Amino acid sequence: MKMRKEKLTLDAAETIALQGLTFLAGDPKRLVRFLSLTGLTPQDLKGFGRDAGLQMALMDFLLGDESLLLVFTSETGVPPEVIAPAYELL
């Protein structure tokens, strides 16, 4: 996903957050860690696409762990420099 900061839209930010959720869900250990640190439950994630708070929690989780963030951006092709602006848009 190629995008520059000035072209980042809310839809793109939401897409990045959804990619983040998919990334975490692909590894049970990552997902359990996210849920434990945020206090969320798997049930809470059902409304992810409609809940900016959940999307922000996920983005904050990624931003808080640089090594995880770099794995996420490497696996998804999302440039690392758009994560913080996407978080701000949410």
Side-chain angles (χ1 to χ4, degrees):
M1 172 181 289
K2 290 191 174 197
M3 60 184 69
R4 296 191 332 231
K5 182 179 175 180
E6 60 270 11
K7 294 196 177 192
L8 193 65
T9 64
L10 180 57
D11 283 345
E14 290 172 342
T15 298
I16 292 168
L18 185 56
Q19 287 177 296
L21 180 60
T22 302
F23 167 75
L24 292 182
D27 182 331
K29 288 181 184 179
R30 288 180 191 152
L31 185 59
V32 167
R33 183 167 182 261
F34 170 67
L35 294 173
S36 331
L37 291 175
T38 59
L40 296 170
T41 67
Q43 287 293 97
D44 295 328
L45 299 179
K46 288 186 176 189
F48 188 83
R50 300 176 308 279
D51 190 328
L54 290 176
Q55 295 168 4
M56 289 177 68
L58 183 126
M59 298 295 275
D60 191 47
F61 178 74
L62 290 175
L63 286 166
D65 184 336
E66 185 177 6
S67 61
L68 182 63
L69 175 66
L70 293 175
V71 172
F72 166 68
T73 58
S74 174
E75 286 186 14
T76 60
V78 175
E81 63 272 10
V82 302
I83 303 299
Y87 173 82
E88 293 297 322
L89 274 173
L90 294 170

